[in-house]
Amino acid sequence: MTRKIDIFDTTLRDGEQSPGCSMNSQEKSVVARELVRMGVDVIEAGFPVSSPSDFRAVSEIGSIVGDGAIVAAFSRAIEADIDCAAEALKTAARPRIVTGIGVSPTHMSDKLHMSEDEVVECASRAVAHAKALVDDVEFYAEDAGRADPQFLLRVVQAAVDAGATVIDIPDTTGYCLPDEYGALIKLVADNVRGIEDVKIAVHAHNDLGLATALALAGVRNGATQIECTINGLGERAGNTALEEVVMAIRMHGDELDAYTDIVTPELTRASRLVSRITGMSVQANKAIVGANAFAHSSGIHQDGVLKSRSTYEIIDPAEVGAAGSDIILSARSGHAALRHRLQELGYSFADEDFEGVYERFLEIADQKKEVYDEDLESIVQEMQREVAAVYTLNALQIQCGDPLVPTAVATITDEDGNRTVVSATGTGPVDAAYTAIDKVVGIESDLQEFAVKAITRGIDAIGEVTVRITASDGRVYNGRGSDNDIIVSSAKAYINAINRMIQASRARS
Ligand code: MN
């Protein structure tokens, strides 16, 4: 294994583009810290020209990451985009500008209305412009998977000649078959002058469920950078999943002549973190990080695994951080024990913030005796959610049963500190609570999805509710809330989604 494969994480750019997954800059910073802990080589932090909040996020991540990773900013092959990316990257110790243009017939004629010559000229100018601003410039040939291979070579040659340090050959639409895509990477590796000094990157989408296979085919044929996202988040069916390619390379390093520097025991935590922050659940049978990824239910399999794990398990759960921990805190655990455990989980707090975490911890410990790591993560993330809240639920009182009329009394504070007490009736307790919240917020939205799940073990587990709402403009927002009481979780989740909706519309204006 001699080839180091760079892991380029685009959860904060391509991943964030998927419906309902937008994150505010504070949430992006939390994800960026986890990406650094995990050892990714490049963090694509956003698309600065797209909105003031994206610009801010890129620049904040630049200062948080330091020299822990390269921080990349996305742009189109437009000078204003590139200038804006460079400006946002001023805080980064190792900045990279990512720029590029569509190279497939449909992108050139239907989207760009440009001839082949114009596209080559534009690519070359964009790379040269970026190169004048930073040393590290990545050029992407958008929709390369459906491009004429000979024309692709021409564009890539122009980008390399103009000084690109990385060439990304994306299958933007997830259209290719793996061997076809591998051949395209090989064509570039074998036919572009000067390519030996340039990194070739693969970027695939999962429209045919092939995103991981495409990335690996690329690696086999000369690519040394994989662009991917946590949980495979991303446009449409998503991007290549980071955890999948990393573990595939780990299992087959010799055949692929490849390794990565990813700290694999972080994979499960990173997955949970991104899932909680975006409100996008991970399917139970998802490879590597799904809840069932290491569960055995058939009798034959259980028997085999009990005799020897390797009979039906290719990965030791501990290798990806899924083994769970035996450390259980209780109400008797003091400040030091809690702080220590949180640090081990990767969270550190200033003293004034820690007090709030400790108080919430005591409440949970009083209610459920044993507090697991998952509970702690839920407490921390709940608190991180609250900081950016427009509306906060202070209290919720519910009356329901048979034959009562379900009634909710909610106390809600807005960001200016105005406290409102409202009551409402509904068809059930959740409906009553949501109607009460609607009365305060006064914004139209449609509830699309509502799901309850127990985070930890036992009947006293914390219940987590995920909701999906659609705003009047058709945009989708996810929200999450957790509490011992699932009606309270439901109300928190709904308010969380509404807060996201309001923040996103402010960020756009
Ligand atoms: Mn993409």
Side-chain angles (χ1 to χ4, degrees):
M1 296 179 288
T2 52
R3 286 191 312 151
K4 154 79 188 291
I5 306 299
D6 281 359
I7 296 299
F8 174 115
D9 180 277
T10 183
T11 306
L12 299 174
R13 203 278 298 170
D14 217 336
E16 206 235 1
Q17 280 172 222
S18 48
C21 288
S22 63
M23 298 174 234
N24 61 39
S25 62
Q26 189 204 9
E27 291 165 331
K28 287 184 182 180
S29 301
V30 173
V31 173
R33 285 200 183 90
E34 175 58 27
L35 292 172
V36 171
R37 259 200 301 276
M38 199 164 62
V40 308
D41 301 278
V42 188
I43 297 173
E44 189 168 44
F47 180 11
V49 86
S50 70
S51 74
S53 69
D54 236 37
F55 182 95
R56 227 179 7 256
V58 171
S59 139
E60 273 175 31
I61 289 168
S63 46
I64 288 169
V65 166
D67 57 7
I70 292 170
V71 176
F74 185 84
S75 67
R76 293 164 297 181
I78 294 173
E79 275 192 17
D81 276 36
I82 297 168
D83 291 339
C84 187
E87 192 60 33
L89 286 170
K90 284 226 162 98
T91 50
R94 296 161 65 199
R96 175 184 293 176
I97 292 177
V98 177
T99 192
I101 190 165
V103 299
S104 64
T106 165
H107 275 239
M108 291 190 288
S109 65
D110 303 339
K111 186 175 99 171
L112 301 165
H113 307 294
M114 284 166 89
S115 69
E116 290 193 348
D117 288 348
E118 284 167 331
V119 167
V120 172
E121 168 62 23
C122 182
S124 169
R125 242 186 302 122
V127 171
H129 186 73
K131 191 74 181 175
L133 301 167
V134 298
D135 281 341
D136 193 3
V137 177
E138 173 170 334
F139 172 76
Y140 63 86
E142 191 181 7
D143 204 14
R146 292 189 299 170
D148 164 15
Q150 289 310 313
F151 175 64
L152 176 67
L153 286 179
R154 245 188 94 196
V155 182
V156 169
Q157 186 66 64
V160 170
D161 291 344
T165 43
V166 182
I167 292 291
D168 174 25
I169 309 292
D171 185 13
T172 307
T173 56
Y175 169 76
C176 292
L177 288 171
D179 49 359
E180 214 172 84
Y181 184 63
L184 196 62
I185 300 297
K186 189 164 170 20
L187 186 77
V188 171
D190 290 346
N191 293 287
V192 173
R193 283 184 316 280
I195 197 78
E196 56 283 358
D197 301 322
V198 172
K199 220 170 242 310
I200 300 177
V202 284
H203 178 118
H205 280 264
N206 209 28
D207 298 71
L208 294 173
L210 293 171
T212 298
L214 290 168
L216 294 173
V219 166
R220 215 184 248 287
N221 286 281
T224 52
Q225 174 178 295
I226 299 177
E227 309 202 350
C228 48
T229 60
I230 307 281
N231 298 336
L233 213 63
E235 295 268 18
R236 308 182 308 278
N239 287 58
T240 300
L242 182 147
E243 58 277 4
E244 294 177 12
V245 284
V246 165
M247 290 314 290
I249 290 174
R250 195 173 160 98
M251 307 300 293
H252 296 284
D254 289 334
E255 295 106 296
L256 294 166
D257 181 28
Y259 68 94
T260 75
D261 281 344
I262 297 300
V263 181
T264 59
E266 288 292 328
L267 291 173
T268 299
R269 183 180 320 143
S271 163
R272 284 195 198 135
L273 179 75
V274 168
S275 166
R276 293 234 176 106
I277 284 184
T278 58
M280 187 78 127
S281 308
V282 174
Q283 76 195 60
N285 60 336
K286 165 83 179 59
I288 318 293
V289 293
N292 290 351
F294 300 101
H296 304 275
S297 62
S298 106
I300 296 172
H301 288 214
Q302 285 176 344
D303 178 58
V305 168
L306 287 174
K307 287 173 177 152
S308 165
R309 289 206 85 97
S310 62
T311 50
Y312 288 100
E313 222 169 71
I314 58 166
I315 299 169
D316 176 353
E319 246 183 290
V320 298
S325 125
D326 295 332
I327 297 173
I328 299 163
L329 300 180
S330 72
R332 290 180 306 280
S333 309
H335 282 74
L338 177 64
R339 197 185 267 279
H340 179 73
R341 190 64 202 142
L342 285 170
Q343 249 154 22
E344 282 179 341
L345 293 173
Y347 302 106
S348 51
F349 292 91
D351 289 342
E352 61 269 27
D353 298 331
F354 180 73
E355 257 336 285
V357 178
Y358 187 71
E359 272 167 35
R360 182 75 186 123
F361 162 75
L362 280 185
E363 276 173 38
I364 302 273
D366 267 346
Q367 286 162 352
K368 65 183 299 259
K369 311 300 175 238
E370 294 180 325
V371 182
Y372 299 97
D373 287 349
E374 295 91 328
D375 295 317
L376 294 180
E377 283 178 358
S378 142
I379 293 171
V380 171
Q381 281 155 22
E382 184 81 37
M383 306 217 30
Q384 281 163 345
R385 267 200 291 267
E386 278 167 12
V387 182
V390 180
Y391 291 101
T392 310
L393 180 73
N394 302 111
L396 180 67
Q397 221 181 313
I398 298 284
Q399 232 188 352
C400 62
D402 191 9
L404 289 177
V405 176
T407 307
V409 181
T411 310
I412 295 167
T413 308
D414 69 17
E415 57 196 332
D416 301 321
N418 304 313
R419 193 177 262 257
T420 315
V421 182
V422 274
S423 65
T425 57
T427 52
V430 174
D431 183 47
Y434 283 21
T435 308
I437 294 167
D438 282 342
K439 279 188 184 176
V440 177
V441 173
I443 299 175
E444 290 253 325
S445 67
D446 251 347
L447 182 67
Q448 298 288 318
E449 247 179 73
F450 177 91
V452 190
K453 167 174 121 186
I455 298 182
T456 45
R457 296 148 268 187
I459 189 77
D460 57 357
I462 291 183
E464 184 176 71
V465 171
T466 312
V467 299
R468 220 168 146 79
I469 61 174
T470 309
S472 51
D473 63 1
R475 291 177 204 259
V476 178
Y477 299 92
N478 292 328
R480 280 193 174 203
S482 50
D483 196 273
N484 293 74
D485 181 321
I486 59 160
I487 307 298
V488 176
S489 303
S490 307
K492 284 181 176 175
Y494 189 49
I495 288 184
N496 181 235
I498 288 168
N499 284 336
R500 284 171 182 281
M501 180 167 85
I502 296 170
Q503 281 162 354
S505 78
R506 282 181 188 168
R508 278 194 303 275
S509 59

